[in-house]
Amino acid sequence: MNRCKGARHVMSKWKKTRVLWKKAELRSNIPETRKMTRETLKEMLNRYQMVYVKPDVGTYGNGVMRVEMKENGGGYRYQNGLKVRSFTSFDPMFESIRKHTRRRRYLVQKGIHLTRYRKRRFDIRVMVQQSPKRKWEATGVIGRVGDPRKVVTNVHNGGKITPIETLLAAYMPDKQKRVFVSRLKKLGTMAAKQLHRQFRGIKEIGLDVALDRQLHPWVLEANTCPDPYIFNKLKDKRIFGKIARYARAYGRI
Ligand SMILES: Nc1ncnc2c1ncn2[C@@H]1O[C@H](COP(=O)(O)OP(=O)(O)O)[C@@H](O)[C@H]1O
Ligand SMILES: [Mg+2]
């Protein structure tokens, strides 16, 4: 069952990003995001060399592309799904990208060079829910390790659910991991509260968080209808138990 309708579900990534951006304490965790035009794509590539373009309304990583500008006038390339295309100049590349985006609204976002686990990129899903007592609480943090051939980590695109502790093990000792995870949870509840100020109907959010090479967390998107069942894959069944209990209380499952 999937009860994500009406006020519970905000689909536009643009609207959600703008609301998050308004909160000063969150701003350092929100990658610059613009509506994609020929000009904004060019500008953002000059600024960041690597950007992601994605449909304003989309899921499962579908239509998400990684666009790169090589150093010293070395040309451009982009990857969509498994397909990589290279160009010597910007305009033909933009025309090619445009064929995929058509009339849909697309966004362009600063690209984050994701941390890796066994050479594969991973990002993090932070589940935040309204408790039966109506308090926002981060109930689960989980990692997703991407298919090495792809530029997205989504489970529907071959991403593998992995405990966050496993992914962080190469980067820090256990004690520090606990502190790090509680910081991610704090970021999650702050984002949920901020979105809830604007979108009063939401009961849960699933934050996609990327870590860059300095382990700085960046919010890639906030899902208002996150899949609770990915947490059922964890050995520790208490985590999904609580997520399901909360989700039942607000009638999501
Ligand atoms: N700015 C970015 N930098 C690096 N990776 C990104 C960026 N934006 C998206 N991704 C990758 O693409 C995936 C899908 O993007 P996302 O914005 O979450 O769209 P969707 O709604 O399709 O899940 C992310 O989980 C991440 O792996
Ligand atoms: Mg996502």
Side-chain angles (χ1 to χ4, degrees), residues 21 27-34 40-41 44-45 47-54 65-67 107-114 210 212 214 216-220:
W21 182 260
R27 215 162 280 169
S28 63
N29 301 104
I30 312 294
E32 183 177 6
T33 308
R34 314 276 302 272
T40 58
L41 179 59
M44 295 275 282
L45 272 172
R47 191 169 305 148
Y48 300 116
Q49 287 75 57
M50 193 276 280
V51 300
Y52 269 68
V53 303
K54 52 177 103 173
M65 298 176 241
R66 177 186 178 100
V67 187
L107 307 179
V108 51
Q109 186 172 66
K110 171 186 174 174
I112 308 302
H113 292 278
L114 301 192
D212 66 17
Q214 283 74 47
H216 182 73
W218 295 93
V219 177
L220 302 179

mmCIF file of all heavy atoms in Angstrom, residues 21 27-34 40-41 44-45 47-54 65-67 107-114 210 212 214 216-220:
data_model
loop_
_atom_site.group_PDB
_atom_site.id
_atom_site.type_symbol
_atom_site.label_atom_id
_atom_site.label_comp_id
_atom_site.label_asym_id
_atom_site.label_seq_id
_atom_site.Cartn_x
_atom_site.Cartn_y
_atom_site.Cartn_z
ATOM 1 N N TRP A 21 16.660 25.932 1.527
ATOM 2 C CA TRP A 21 17.653 26.992 1.370
ATOM 3 C C TRP A 21 17.349 28.203 2.258
ATOM 4 O O TRP A 21 18.241 28.920 2.696
ATOM 5 C CB TRP A 21 17.697 27.392 -0.114
ATOM 6 C CG TRP A 21 18.699 28.437 -0.440
ATOM 7 C CD1 TRP A 21 18.463 29.778 -0.612
ATOM 8 C CD2 TRP A 21 20.110 28.254 -0.646
ATOM 9 N NE1 TRP A 21 19.628 30.431 -0.909
ATOM 10 C CE2 TRP A 21 20.659 29.525 -0.927
ATOM 11 C CE3 TRP A 21 20.956 27.122 -0.608
ATOM 12 C CZ2 TRP A 21 22.018 29.702 -1.175
ATOM 13 C CZ3 TRP A 21 22.296 27.315 -0.857
ATOM 14 C CH2 TRP A 21 22.810 28.585 -1.130
ATOM 15 N N ARG A 27 21.938 25.990 5.071
ATOM 16 C CA ARG A 27 22.448 26.430 3.772
ATOM 17 C C ARG A 27 23.780 25.800 3.387
ATOM 18 O O ARG A 27 23.988 25.460 2.222
ATOM 19 C CB ARG A 27 22.554 27.960 3.763
ATOM 20 C CG ARG A 27 22.244 28.525 2.425
ATOM 21 C CD ARG A 27 21.915 29.998 2.505
ATOM 22 N NE ARG A 27 20.552 30.240 2.934
ATOM 23 C CZ ARG A 27 20.074 31.423 3.290
ATOM 24 N NH1 ARG A 27 20.877 32.485 3.284
ATOM 25 N NH2 ARG A 27 18.823 31.561 3.655
ATOM 26 N N SER A 28 24.666 25.595 4.361
ATOM 27 C CA SER A 28 25.979 25.027 4.021
ATOM 28 C C SER A 28 25.874 23.555 3.629
ATOM 29 O O SER A 28 26.850 22.952 3.186
ATOM 30 C CB SER A 28 26.938 25.191 5.198
ATOM 31 O OG SER A 28 26.456 24.456 6.292
ATOM 32 N N ASN A 29 24.689 22.983 3.785
ATOM 33 C CA ASN A 29 24.492 21.578 3.410
ATOM 34 C C ASN A 29 23.640 21.413 2.145
ATOM 35 O O ASN A 29 23.281 20.292 1.786
ATOM 36 C CB ASN A 29 23.822 20.809 4.557
ATOM 37 C CG ASN A 29 24.631 20.841 5.831
ATOM 38 O OD1 ASN A 29 24.303 21.578 6.767
ATOM 39 N ND2 ASN A 29 25.707 20.097 5.876
ATOM 40 N N ILE A 30 23.298 22.530 1.520
ATOM 41 C CA ILE A 30 22.458 22.454 0.314
ATOM 42 C C ILE A 30 23.315 22.839 -0.896
ATOM 43 O O ILE A 30 23.764 23.983 -0.979
ATOM 44 C CB ILE A 30 21.253 23.426 0.397
ATOM 45 C CG1 ILE A 30 20.520 23.308 1.742
ATOM 46 C CG2 ILE A 30 20.291 23.215 -0.770
ATOM 47 C CD1 ILE A 30 19.830 22.014 1.989
ATOM 48 N N PRO A 31 23.537 21.915 -1.820
ATOM 49 C CA PRO A 31 24.330 22.282 -3.001
ATOM 50 C C PRO A 31 23.564 23.278 -3.869
ATOM 51 O O PRO A 31 22.333 23.173 -3.992
ATOM 52 C CB PRO A 31 24.520 20.959 -3.743
ATOM 53 C CG PRO A 31 23.555 19.993 -3.173
ATOM 54 C CD PRO A 31 23.066 20.520 -1.855
ATOM 55 N N GLU A 32 24.290 24.237 -4.423
ATOM 56 C CA GLU A 32 23.623 25.230 -5.272
ATOM 57 C C GLU A 32 22.804 24.517 -6.349
ATOM 58 O O GLU A 32 23.274 23.591 -6.998
ATOM 59 C CB GLU A 32 24.657 26.142 -5.934
ATOM 60 C CG GLU A 32 23.980 27.224 -6.751
ATOM 61 C CD GLU A 32 24.952 28.221 -7.372
ATOM 62 O OE1 GLU A 32 26.183 28.029 -7.277
ATOM 63 O OE2 GLU A 32 24.449 29.186 -7.977
ATOM 64 N N THR A 33 21.572 24.963 -6.511
ATOM 65 C CA THR A 33 20.625 24.334 -7.446
ATOM 66 C C THR A 33 19.915 25.425 -8.232
ATOM 67 O O THR A 33 19.454 26.410 -7.650
ATOM 68 C CB THR A 33 19.575 23.498 -6.664
ATOM 69 O OG1 THR A 33 20.257 22.605 -5.781
ATOM 70 C CG2 THR A 33 18.688 22.698 -7.598
ATOM 71 N N ARG A 34 19.845 25.280 -9.543
ATOM 72 C CA ARG A 34 19.158 26.260 -10.387
ATOM 73 C C ARG A 34 18.219 25.540 -11.340
ATOM 74 O O ARG A 34 18.382 24.345 -11.587
ATOM 75 C CB ARG A 34 20.187 27.050 -11.229
ATOM 76 C CG ARG A 34 21.409 27.557 -10.466
ATOM 77 C CD ARG A 34 21.147 28.859 -9.782
ATOM 78 N NE ARG A 34 20.734 29.903 -10.709
ATOM 79 C CZ ARG A 34 21.556 30.710 -11.362
ATOM 80 N NH1 ARG A 34 22.864 30.602 -11.186
ATOM 81 N NH2 ARG A 34 21.092 31.643 -12.175
ATOM 82 N N THR A 40 22.310 28.678 -17.337
ATOM 83 C CA THR A 40 22.639 28.211 -15.980
ATOM 84 C C THR A 40 23.525 26.964 -16.028
ATOM 85 O O THR A 40 24.416 26.803 -15.196
ATOM 86 C CB THR A 40 21.374 27.904 -15.135
ATOM 87 O OG1 THR A 40 20.576 26.929 -15.791
ATOM 88 C CG2 THR A 40 20.564 29.154 -14.872
ATOM 89 N N LEU A 41 23.306 26.107 -17.021
ATOM 90 C CA LEU A 41 24.164 24.915 -17.124
ATOM 91 C C LEU A 41 25.612 25.337 -17.385
ATOM 92 O O LEU A 41 26.547 24.854 -16.749
ATOM 93 C CB LEU A 41 23.661 23.975 -18.221
ATOM 94 C CG LEU A 41 24.510 22.714 -18.425
ATOM 95 C CD1 LEU A 41 24.609 21.869 -17.153
ATOM 96 C CD2 LEU A 41 23.957 21.845 -19.563
ATOM 97 N N MET A 44 27.100 27.036 -14.236
ATOM 98 C CA MET A 44 27.374 26.076 -13.153
ATOM 99 C C MET A 44 28.559 25.172 -13.514
ATOM 100 O O MET A 44 29.338 24.796 -12.645
ATOM 101 C CB MET A 44 26.128 25.233 -12.874
ATOM 102 C CG MET A 44 24.957 26.034 -12.339
ATOM 103 S SD MET A 44 25.014 26.274 -10.555
ATOM 104 C CE MET A 44 24.447 24.675 -9.989
ATOM 105 N N LEU A 45 28.697 24.827 -14.779
ATOM 106 C CA LEU A 45 29.855 24.013 -15.192
ATOM 107 C C LEU A 45 31.151 24.796 -15.018
ATOM 108 O O LEU A 45 32.160 24.251 -14.585
ATOM 109 C CB LEU A 45 29.703 23.577 -16.645
ATOM 110 C CG LEU A 45 28.932 22.281 -16.866
ATOM 111 C CD1 LEU A 45 28.690 22.057 -18.347
ATOM 112 C CD2 LEU A 45 29.658 21.077 -16.263
ATOM 113 N N ARG A 47 31.630 27.057 -12.878
ATOM 114 C CA ARG A 47 31.873 27.216 -11.448
ATOM 115 C C ARG A 47 32.334 25.911 -10.794
ATOM 116 O O ARG A 47 33.217 25.916 -9.948
ATOM 117 C CB ARG A 47 30.590 27.718 -10.778
ATOM 118 C CG ARG A 47 30.783 28.179 -9.340
ATOM 119 C CD ARG A 47 29.562 28.914 -8.832
ATOM 120 N NE ARG A 47 29.203 30.023 -9.701
ATOM 121 C CZ ARG A 47 27.951 30.448 -9.901
ATOM 122 N NH1 ARG A 47 26.940 29.866 -9.286
ATOM 123 N NH2 ARG A 47 27.715 31.449 -10.714
ATOM 124 N N TYR A 48 31.708 24.785 -11.150
ATOM 125 C CA TYR A 48 31.947 23.529 -10.415
ATOM 126 C C TYR A 48 32.619 22.410 -11.229
ATOM 127 O O TYR A 48 32.963 21.383 -10.663
ATOM 128 C CB TYR A 48 30.621 23.005 -9.856
ATOM 129 C CG TYR A 48 29.949 23.971 -8.904
ATOM 130 C CD1 TYR A 48 28.714 24.536 -9.202
ATOM 131 C CD2 TYR A 48 30.563 24.311 -7.698
ATOM 132 C CE1 TYR A 48 28.100 25.420 -8.328
ATOM 133 C CE2 TYR A 48 29.956 25.190 -6.815
ATOM 134 C CZ TYR A 48 28.724 25.742 -7.135
ATOM 135 O OH TYR A 48 28.120 26.619 -6.266
ATOM 136 N N GLN A 49 32.729 22.595 -12.531
ATOM 137 C CA GLN A 49 33.330 21.583 -13.436
ATOM 138 C C GLN A 49 32.515 20.284 -13.537
ATOM 139 O O GLN A 49 32.526 19.622 -14.564
ATOM 140 C CB GLN A 49 34.786 21.218 -13.048
ATOM 141 C CG GLN A 49 35.803 22.308 -13.362
ATOM 142 C CD GLN A 49 35.720 23.458 -12.378
ATOM 143 O OE1 GLN A 49 35.857 23.231 -11.176
ATOM 144 N NE2 GLN A 49 35.476 24.665 -12.868
ATOM 145 N N MET A 50 31.804 19.946 -12.465
ATOM 146 C CA MET A 50 30.972 18.738 -12.532
ATOM 147 C C MET A 50 29.625 19.067 -11.896
ATOM 148 O O MET A 50 29.585 19.601 -10.786
ATOM 149 C CB MET A 50 31.665 17.596 -11.795
ATOM 150 C CG MET A 50 31.084 16.209 -12.038
ATOM 151 S SD MET A 50 29.679 15.823 -10.993
ATOM 152 C CE MET A 50 30.494 15.378 -9.450
ATOM 153 N N VAL A 51 28.556 18.781 -12.630
ATOM 154 C CA VAL A 51 27.212 19.074 -12.113
ATOM 155 C C VAL A 51 26.288 17.894 -12.406
ATOM 156 O O VAL A 51 26.609 17.035 -13.224
ATOM 157 C CB VAL A 51 26.598 20.356 -12.757
ATOM 158 C CG1 VAL A 51 27.468 21.579 -12.489
ATOM 159 C CG2 VAL A 51 26.363 20.173 -14.251
ATOM 160 N N TYR A 52 25.164 17.866 -11.709
ATOM 161 C CA TYR A 52 24.118 16.897 -12.015
ATOM 162 C C TYR A 52 22.921 17.641 -12.571
ATOM 163 O O TYR A 52 22.575 18.718 -12.072
ATOM 164 C CB TYR A 52 23.709 16.118 -10.759
ATOM 165 C CG TYR A 52 24.516 14.844 -10.584
ATOM 166 C CD1 TYR A 52 25.872 14.906 -10.289
ATOM 167 C CD2 TYR A 52 23.927 13.585 -10.730
ATOM 168 C CE1 TYR A 52 26.621 13.739 -10.147
ATOM 169 C CE2 TYR A 52 24.668 12.419 -10.585
ATOM 170 C CZ TYR A 52 26.014 12.500 -10.292
ATOM 171 O OH TYR A 52 26.747 11.349 -10.162
ATOM 172 N N VAL A 53 22.313 17.079 -13.596
ATOM 173 C CA VAL A 53 21.044 17.632 -14.055
ATOM 174 C C VAL A 53 19.979 16.569 -13.814
ATOM 175 O O VAL A 53 20.238 15.369 -13.960
ATOM 176 C CB VAL A 53 21.079 18.099 -15.529
ATOM 177 C CG1 VAL A 53 22.170 19.133 -15.750
ATOM 178 C CG2 VAL A 53 21.251 16.954 -16.495
ATOM 179 N N LYS A 54 18.818 17.022 -13.365
ATOM 180 C CA LYS A 54 17.772 16.071 -12.977
ATOM 181 C C LYS A 54 16.396 16.669 -13.202
ATOM 182 O O LYS A 54 16.223 17.888 -13.130
ATOM 183 C CB LYS A 54 17.954 15.664 -11.521
ATOM 184 C CG LYS A 54 18.087 16.817 -10.538
ATOM 185 C CD LYS A 54 18.199 16.334 -9.096
ATOM 186 C CE LYS A 54 19.601 16.395 -8.563
ATOM 187 N NZ LYS A 54 19.702 16.100 -7.124
ATOM 188 N N MET A 65 21.382 12.968 -14.878
ATOM 189 C CA MET A 65 22.624 12.903 -15.663
ATOM 190 C C MET A 65 23.755 13.636 -14.956
ATOM 191 O O MET A 65 23.537 14.601 -14.240
ATOM 192 C CB MET A 65 22.410 13.560 -17.034
ATOM 193 C CG MET A 65 21.365 12.872 -17.884
ATOM 194 S SD MET A 65 21.078 13.754 -19.430
ATOM 195 C CE MET A 65 19.359 14.163 -19.248
ATOM 196 N N ARG A 66 24.955 13.138 -15.210
ATOM 197 C CA ARG A 66 26.160 13.776 -14.672
ATOM 198 C C ARG A 66 26.866 14.467 -15.832
ATOM 199 O O ARG A 66 27.098 13.850 -16.873
ATOM 200 C CB ARG A 66 27.045 12.692 -14.070
ATOM 201 C CG ARG A 66 28.382 13.137 -13.507
ATOM 202 C CD ARG A 66 29.144 11.871 -13.108
ATOM 203 N NE ARG A 66 30.470 12.117 -12.595
ATOM 204 C CZ ARG A 66 30.779 12.122 -11.286
ATOM 205 N NH1 ARG A 66 29.851 11.902 -10.381
ATOM 206 N NH2 ARG A 66 32.011 12.326 -10.895
ATOM 207 N N VAL A 67 27.176 15.748 -15.662
ATOM 208 C CA VAL A 67 27.773 16.518 -16.758
ATOM 209 C C VAL A 67 29.119 17.067 -16.289
ATOM 210 O O VAL A 67 29.218 17.614 -15.188
ATOM 211 C CB VAL A 67 26.850 17.697 -17.177
ATOM 212 C CG1 VAL A 67 27.389 18.386 -18.433
ATOM 213 C CG2 VAL A 67 25.422 17.211 -17.403
ATOM 214 N N LEU A 107 16.539 20.584 -13.437
ATOM 215 C CA LEU A 107 17.363 21.388 -12.537
ATOM 216 C C LEU A 107 18.826 21.068 -12.784
ATOM 217 O O LEU A 107 19.160 19.991 -13.274
ATOM 218 C CB LEU A 107 17.018 21.062 -11.080
ATOM 219 C CG LEU A 107 15.549 21.159 -10.700
ATOM 220 C CD1 LEU A 107 15.357 20.789 -9.228
ATOM 221 C CD2 LEU A 107 15.003 22.569 -10.963
ATOM 222 N N VAL A 108 19.673 22.015 -12.446
ATOM 223 C CA VAL A 108 21.116 21.754 -12.489
ATOM 224 C C VAL A 108 21.659 22.020 -11.094
ATOM 225 O O VAL A 108 21.310 23.006 -10.450
ATOM 226 C CB VAL A 108 21.812 22.586 -13.597
ATOM 227 C CG1 VAL A 108 21.475 24.050 -13.515
ATOM 228 C CG2 VAL A 108 23.332 22.397 -13.546
ATOM 229 N N GLN A 109 22.463 21.071 -10.611
ATOM 230 C CA GLN A 109 22.926 21.124 -9.226
ATOM 231 C C GLN A 109 24.432 20.872 -9.173
ATOM 232 O O GLN A 109 24.955 20.061 -9.937
ATOM 233 C CB GLN A 109 22.198 20.024 -8.431
ATOM 234 C CG GLN A 109 22.454 20.022 -6.951
ATOM 235 C CD GLN A 109 21.526 19.030 -6.236
ATOM 236 O OE1 GLN A 109 21.621 17.825 -6.427
ATOM 237 N NE2 GLN A 109 20.603 19.557 -5.447
ATOM 238 N N LYS A 110 25.071 21.606 -8.287
ATOM 239 C CA LYS A 110 26.489 21.369 -8.040
ATOM 240 C C LYS A 110 26.722 19.878 -7.856
ATOM 241 O O LYS A 110 26.028 19.225 -7.070
ATOM 242 C CB LYS A 110 26.907 22.113 -6.762
ATOM 243 C CG LYS A 110 28.292 21.789 -6.281
ATOM 244 C CD LYS A 110 28.574 22.445 -4.933
ATOM 245 C CE LYS A 110 29.926 21.965 -4.419
ATOM 246 N NZ LYS A 110 30.342 22.647 -3.200
ATOM 247 N N GLY A 111 27.683 19.317 -8.555
ATOM 248 C CA GLY A 111 27.973 17.892 -8.419
ATOM 249 C C GLY A 111 28.856 17.631 -7.211
ATOM 250 O O GLY A 111 29.797 18.379 -6.949
ATOM 251 N N ILE A 112 28.520 16.601 -6.478
ATOM 252 C CA ILE A 112 29.324 16.215 -5.315
ATOM 253 C C ILE A 112 30.120 14.964 -5.688
ATOM 254 O O ILE A 112 29.550 14.005 -6.217
ATOM 255 C CB ILE A 112 28.412 15.901 -4.094
ATOM 256 C CG1 ILE A 112 27.420 17.045 -3.827
ATOM 257 C CG2 ILE A 112 29.264 15.598 -2.855
ATOM 258 C CD1 ILE A 112 28.045 18.390 -3.562
ATOM 259 N N HIS A 113 31.415 14.995 -5.387
ATOM 260 C CA HIS A 113 32.233 13.800 -5.624
ATOM 261 C C HIS A 113 32.047 12.867 -4.437
ATOM 262 O O HIS A 113 32.624 13.071 -3.375
ATOM 263 C CB HIS A 113 33.695 14.197 -5.812
ATOM 264 C CG HIS A 113 33.913 14.972 -7.077
ATOM 265 N ND1 HIS A 113 34.061 14.354 -8.299
ATOM 266 C CD2 HIS A 113 33.942 16.303 -7.323
ATOM 267 C CE1 HIS A 113 34.191 15.270 -9.234
ATOM 268 N NE2 HIS A 113 34.125 16.468 -8.672
ATOM 269 N N LEU A 114 31.206 11.891 -4.615
ATOM 270 C CA LEU A 114 30.801 11.041 -3.488
ATOM 271 C C LEU A 114 31.950 10.206 -2.943
ATOM 272 O O LEU A 114 32.816 9.752 -3.697
ATOM 273 C CB LEU A 114 29.690 10.070 -3.914
ATOM 274 C CG LEU A 114 28.383 10.613 -4.464
ATOM 275 C CD1 LEU A 114 27.352 9.494 -4.529
ATOM 276 C CD2 LEU A 114 27.850 11.721 -3.601
ATOM 277 N N ALA A 210 24.665 13.191 0.404
ATOM 278 C CA ALA A 210 25.957 12.793 -0.164
ATOM 279 C C ALA A 210 27.062 13.270 0.759
ATOM 280 O O ALA A 210 26.952 14.324 1.378
ATOM 281 C CB ALA A 210 26.121 13.439 -1.541
ATOM 282 N N ASP A 212 31.009 14.426 0.659
ATOM 283 C CA ASP A 212 32.094 14.711 -0.282
ATOM 284 C C ASP A 212 33.403 14.173 0.281
ATOM 285 O O ASP A 212 33.418 13.487 1.304
ATOM 286 C CB ASP A 212 32.153 16.214 -0.622
ATOM 287 C CG ASP A 212 32.521 17.083 0.577
ATOM 288 O OD1 ASP A 212 33.049 16.547 1.587
ATOM 289 O OD2 ASP A 212 32.286 18.305 0.509
ATOM 290 N N GLN A 214 35.690 15.431 1.876
ATOM 291 C CA GLN A 214 35.987 15.873 3.253
ATOM 292 C C GLN A 214 34.940 15.359 4.236
ATOM 293 O O GLN A 214 34.891 15.792 5.389
ATOM 294 C CB GLN A 214 36.026 17.406 3.320
ATOM 295 C CG GLN A 214 37.298 18.048 2.754
ATOM 296 C CD GLN A 214 37.338 18.006 1.236
ATOM 297 O OE1 GLN A 214 36.357 18.331 0.573
ATOM 298 N NE2 GLN A 214 38.453 17.574 0.680
ATOM 299 N N HIS A 216 31.917 16.102 4.224
ATOM 300 C CA HIS A 216 30.889 17.111 4.473
ATOM 301 C C HIS A 216 29.575 16.621 3.871
ATOM 302 O O HIS A 216 29.542 16.188 2.724
ATOM 303 C CB HIS A 216 31.297 18.447 3.850
ATOM 304 C CG HIS A 216 30.313 19.538 4.113
ATOM 305 N ND1 HIS A 216 30.190 20.132 5.354
ATOM 306 C CD2 HIS A 216 29.388 20.112 3.312
ATOM 307 C CE1 HIS A 216 29.222 21.045 5.286
ATOM 308 N NE2 HIS A 216 28.721 21.043 4.064
ATOM 309 N N PRO A 217 28.475 16.660 4.669
ATOM 310 C CA PRO A 217 27.197 16.184 4.132
ATOM 311 C C PRO A 217 26.448 17.222 3.290
ATOM 312 O O PRO A 217 26.338 18.382 3.682
ATOM 313 C CB PRO A 217 26.393 15.836 5.393
ATOM 314 C CG PRO A 217 27.029 16.574 6.511
ATOM 315 C CD PRO A 217 28.406 16.981 6.102
ATOM 316 N N TRP A 218 25.941 16.755 2.152
ATOM 317 C CA TRP A 218 25.170 17.598 1.235
ATOM 318 C C TRP A 218 23.817 16.951 0.977
ATOM 319 O O TRP A 218 23.757 15.768 0.627
ATOM 320 C CB TRP A 218 25.895 17.728 -0.111
ATOM 321 C CG TRP A 218 27.206 18.429 -0.055
ATOM 322 C CD1 TRP A 218 28.437 17.861 0.091
ATOM 323 C CD2 TRP A 218 27.414 19.850 -0.152
ATOM 324 N NE1 TRP A 218 29.394 18.845 0.080
ATOM 325 C CE2 TRP A 218 28.809 20.067 -0.066
ATOM 326 C CE3 TRP A 218 26.564 20.948 -0.314
ATOM 327 C CZ2 TRP A 218 29.366 21.335 -0.135
ATOM 328 C CZ3 TRP A 218 27.126 22.209 -0.382
ATOM 329 C CH2 TRP A 218 28.514 22.394 -0.291
ATOM 330 N N VAL A 219 22.758 17.719 1.116
ATOM 331 C CA VAL A 219 21.410 17.191 0.867
ATOM 332 C C VAL A 219 21.122 17.250 -0.630
ATOM 333 O O VAL A 219 21.005 18.330 -1.205
ATOM 334 C CB VAL A 219 20.348 18.019 1.629
ATOM 335 C CG1 VAL A 219 18.944 17.514 1.294
ATOM 336 C CG2 VAL A 219 20.604 17.952 3.125
ATOM 337 N N LEU A 220 21.014 16.082 -1.263
ATOM 338 C CA LEU A 220 20.763 16.047 -2.705
ATOM 339 C C LEU A 220 19.284 16.215 -3.005
ATOM 340 O O LEU A 220 18.903 16.832 -3.988
ATOM 341 C CB LEU A 220 21.249 14.727 -3.304
ATOM 342 C CG LEU A 220 22.732 14.408 -3.108
ATOM 343 C CD1 LEU A 220 23.054 13.061 -3.742
ATOM 344 C CD2 LEU A 220 23.602 15.507 -3.700
#
